[in-house]
Short mmCIF file of all heavy atoms in Angstrom, two decimals:
data_model
loop_
_atom_site.label_atom_id
_atom_site.label_comp_id
_atom_site.label_asym_id
_atom_site.label_seq_id
_atom_site.Cartn_x
_atom_site.Cartn_y
_atom_site.Cartn_z
N ASP W 23 0.83 -1.21 0.00
CA ASP W 23 0.00 0.00 0.00
C ASP W 23 0.86 1.26 0.00
O ASP W 23 1.87 1.33 0.72
CB ASP W 23 -0.83 0.05 1.28
CG ASP W 23 -2.24 -0.40 1.10
OD1 ASP W 23 -2.54 -1.06 0.11
OD2 ASP W 23 -3.04 -0.08 2.01
N GLU W 24 0.45 2.25 -0.75
CA GLU W 24 1.17 3.52 -0.80
C GLU W 24 1.31 4.13 0.59
O GLU W 24 2.36 4.68 0.94
CB GLU W 24 0.44 4.50 -1.72
CG GLU W 24 1.14 5.83 -1.86
CD GLU W 24 0.44 6.77 -2.83
OE1 GLU W 24 -0.21 6.29 -3.77
OE2 GLU W 24 0.57 7.98 -2.62
N SER W 25 0.29 3.97 1.42
CA SER W 25 0.33 4.57 2.76
C SER W 25 1.43 3.95 3.62
O SER W 25 2.13 4.67 4.34
CB SER W 25 -1.02 4.45 3.46
OG SER W 25 -1.36 3.09 3.65
N ILE W 26 1.61 2.65 3.55
CA ILE W 26 2.64 2.01 4.37
C ILE W 26 4.03 2.35 3.85
O ILE W 26 4.96 2.57 4.62
CB ILE W 26 2.41 0.49 4.50
CG1 ILE W 26 3.25 -0.09 5.64
CG2 ILE W 26 2.67 -0.25 3.23
CD1 ILE W 26 2.93 -1.53 5.99
N ILE W 27 4.18 2.45 2.52
CA ILE W 27 5.47 2.84 1.95
C ILE W 27 5.82 4.26 2.38
O ILE W 27 6.94 4.55 2.80
CB ILE W 27 5.47 2.72 0.41
CG1 ILE W 27 5.25 1.27 -0.04
CG2 ILE W 27 6.73 3.32 -0.19
CD1 ILE W 27 6.39 0.32 0.25
N ARG W 28 4.85 5.16 2.31
CA ARG W 28 5.08 6.55 2.75
C ARG W 28 5.41 6.60 4.24
O ARG W 28 6.28 7.37 4.66
CB ARG W 28 3.88 7.42 2.44
CG ARG W 28 3.76 7.78 0.98
CD ARG W 28 2.70 8.87 0.77
NE ARG W 28 2.49 9.14 -0.62
CZ ARG W 28 3.24 9.98 -1.34
NH1 ARG W 28 4.24 10.61 -0.77
NH2 ARG W 28 2.99 10.18 -2.62
N ASN W 29 4.72 5.79 5.04
CA ASN W 29 5.01 5.76 6.48
C ASN W 29 6.44 5.29 6.74
O ASN W 29 7.13 5.82 7.61
CB ASN W 29 4.02 4.86 7.22
CG ASN W 29 2.65 5.48 7.33
OD1 ASN W 29 2.46 6.67 7.12
ND2 ASN W 29 1.67 4.65 7.63
N MET W 30 6.88 4.28 5.98
CA MET W 30 8.24 3.77 6.15
C MET W 30 9.27 4.83 5.74
O MET W 30 10.29 5.01 6.40
CB MET W 30 8.45 2.49 5.35
CG MET W 30 7.65 1.30 5.86
SD MET W 30 8.19 0.76 7.49
CE MET W 30 6.99 -0.53 7.82
N LEU W 31 9.00 5.53 4.65
CA LEU W 31 9.88 6.63 4.23
C LEU W 31 9.94 7.71 5.31
O LEU W 31 11.01 8.24 5.64
CB LEU W 31 9.41 7.23 2.91
CG LEU W 31 9.72 6.43 1.65
CD1 LEU W 31 8.91 6.96 0.47
CD2 LEU W 31 11.20 6.46 1.34
N GLY W 32 8.78 8.06 5.86
CA GLY W 32 8.73 9.08 6.91
C GLY W 32 9.46 8.65 8.17
O GLY W 32 10.18 9.44 8.79
N ALA W 33 9.30 7.38 8.54
CA ALA W 33 9.98 6.86 9.73
C ALA W 33 11.50 6.86 9.53
O ALA W 33 12.26 7.19 10.44
CB ALA W 33 9.49 5.45 10.04
N GLU W 34 11.92 6.51 8.32
CA GLU W 34 13.35 6.53 8.02
C GLU W 34 13.89 7.96 8.12
O GLU W 34 14.93 8.20 8.74
CB GLU W 34 13.60 5.95 6.63
CG GLU W 34 15.06 5.85 6.28
CD GLU W 34 15.30 5.26 4.90
OE1 GLU W 34 14.41 4.60 4.33
OE2 GLU W 34 16.41 5.48 4.38
N ALA W 35 13.19 8.90 7.50
CA ALA W 35 13.62 10.30 7.54
C ALA W 35 13.64 10.83 8.98
O ALA W 35 14.58 11.53 9.38
CB ALA W 35 12.70 11.16 6.67
N GLU W 36 12.62 10.49 9.75
CA GLU W 36 12.57 10.92 11.15
C GLU W 36 13.76 10.36 11.93
O GLU W 36 14.36 11.07 12.74
CB GLU W 36 11.26 10.43 11.77
CG GLU W 36 11.09 10.76 13.23
CD GLU W 36 9.81 10.20 13.78
OE1 GLU W 36 9.77 9.00 14.12
OE2 GLU W 36 8.84 10.97 13.87
N SER W 37 14.11 9.10 11.66
CA SER W 37 15.23 8.49 12.36
C SER W 37 16.55 9.17 12.01
O SER W 37 17.38 9.43 12.88
CB SER W 37 15.30 6.99 12.04
OG SER W 37 14.15 6.34 12.54
N TYR W 38 16.74 9.47 10.73
CA TYR W 38 17.94 10.21 10.33
C TYR W 38 17.98 11.56 11.04
O TYR W 38 19.04 12.00 11.50
CB TYR W 38 17.99 10.43 8.81
CG TYR W 38 18.49 9.26 8.02
CD1 TYR W 38 17.71 8.72 7.00
CD2 TYR W 38 19.74 8.69 8.26
CE1 TYR W 38 18.17 7.64 6.24
CE2 TYR W 38 20.21 7.62 7.51
CZ TYR W 38 19.42 7.11 6.50
OH TYR W 38 19.88 6.06 5.75
N THR W 39 16.85 12.22 11.14
CA THR W 39 16.78 13.53 11.81
C THR W 39 17.18 13.39 13.27
O THR W 39 17.96 14.19 13.79
CB THR W 39 15.37 14.13 11.68
OG1 THR W 39 15.06 14.29 10.29
CG2 THR W 39 15.26 15.46 12.39
N GLU W 40 16.64 12.37 13.93
CA GLU W 40 16.97 12.16 15.35
C GLU W 40 18.45 11.85 15.55
O GLU W 40 19.01 12.14 16.60
CB GLU W 40 16.11 11.03 15.93
CG GLU W 40 14.64 11.39 16.06
CD GLU W 40 14.38 12.52 17.05
OE1 GLU W 40 15.16 12.69 18.01
OE2 GLU W 40 13.41 13.26 16.85
N LEU W 41 19.08 11.27 14.53
CA LEU W 41 20.51 10.97 14.59
C LEU W 41 21.37 12.16 14.16
O LEU W 41 22.59 12.08 14.15
CB LEU W 41 20.83 9.75 13.72
CG LEU W 41 20.25 8.43 14.21
CD1 LEU W 41 20.42 7.35 13.15
CD2 LEU W 41 20.90 8.00 15.53
N GLY W 42 20.71 13.27 13.76
CA GLY W 42 21.42 14.47 13.37
C GLY W 42 21.88 14.50 11.92
O GLY W 42 22.65 15.37 11.54
N ASP W 43 21.41 13.58 11.11
CA ASP W 43 21.80 13.52 9.70
C ASP W 43 20.67 14.10 8.84
O ASP W 43 19.89 13.38 8.23
CB ASP W 43 22.11 12.08 9.29
CG ASP W 43 22.79 11.98 7.93
OD1 ASP W 43 22.76 12.97 7.17
OD2 ASP W 43 23.34 10.91 7.64
N LEU W 44 20.61 15.42 8.82
CA LEU W 44 19.52 16.10 8.11
C LEU W 44 19.62 15.91 6.60
O LEU W 44 18.59 15.87 5.92
CB LEU W 44 19.50 17.58 8.47
CG LEU W 44 19.28 17.90 9.95
CD1 LEU W 44 19.27 19.40 10.19
CD2 LEU W 44 18.00 17.26 10.46
N GLU W 45 20.82 15.78 6.09
CA GLU W 45 21.00 15.55 4.65
C GLU W 45 20.40 14.21 4.23
O GLU W 45 19.69 14.13 3.23
CB GLU W 45 22.48 15.62 4.27
CG GLU W 45 22.73 15.59 2.79
CD GLU W 45 22.13 16.79 2.04
OE1 GLU W 45 22.05 17.89 2.61
OE2 GLU W 45 21.73 16.61 0.87
N ALA W 46 20.66 13.17 4.99
CA ALA W 46 20.09 11.85 4.69
C ALA W 46 18.57 11.88 4.84
O ALA W 46 17.86 11.26 4.04
CB ALA W 46 20.70 10.78 5.58
N ALA W 47 18.09 12.61 5.84
CA ALA W 47 16.63 12.73 6.03
C ALA W 47 16.00 13.37 4.81
O ALA W 47 14.97 12.90 4.31
CB ALA W 47 16.34 13.54 7.28
N LYS W 48 16.62 14.45 4.34
CA LYS W 48 16.09 15.15 3.17
C LYS W 48 16.11 14.26 1.93
O LYS W 48 15.15 14.20 1.18
CB LYS W 48 16.91 16.42 2.92
CG LYS W 48 16.39 17.27 1.80
CD LYS W 48 17.23 18.54 1.66
CE LYS W 48 16.75 19.35 0.47
NZ LYS W 48 17.56 20.56 0.30
N LYS W 49 17.20 13.53 1.74
CA LYS W 49 17.31 12.63 0.59
C LYS W 49 16.28 11.50 0.65
O LYS W 49 15.85 11.00 -0.39
CB LYS W 49 18.72 12.03 0.51
CG LYS W 49 19.75 13.00 0.01
CD LYS W 49 21.11 12.35 -0.05
CE LYS W 49 22.17 13.34 -0.48
NZ LYS W 49 23.51 12.74 -0.47
N THR W 50 15.90 11.10 1.85
CA THR W 50 14.93 10.03 2.00
C THR W 50 13.56 10.44 1.47
O THR W 50 12.84 9.63 0.90
CB THR W 50 14.82 9.61 3.49
OG1 THR W 50 16.10 9.15 3.91
CG2 THR W 50 13.81 8.50 3.68
#
């Protein structure tokens, strides 16, 4: 489902943000 894929992308980006890697979050 598109919704679960988007949620996974968002969770990945959020995790990069929490780790301080804003560039990786943006690329995600």
Side-chain angles (χ1 to χ4, degrees):
D23 260 18
E24 182 177 331
S25 63
I26 195 171
I27 297 291
R28 284 191 185 275
N29 287 344
M30 292 293 176
L31 284 166
E34 184 180 341
E36 178 182 81
S37 295
Y38 279 125
T39 300
E40 291 295 331
L41 293 170
D43 191 344
L44 299 181
E45 188 63 32
K48 184 178 177 181
K49 285 180 183 177
T50 300

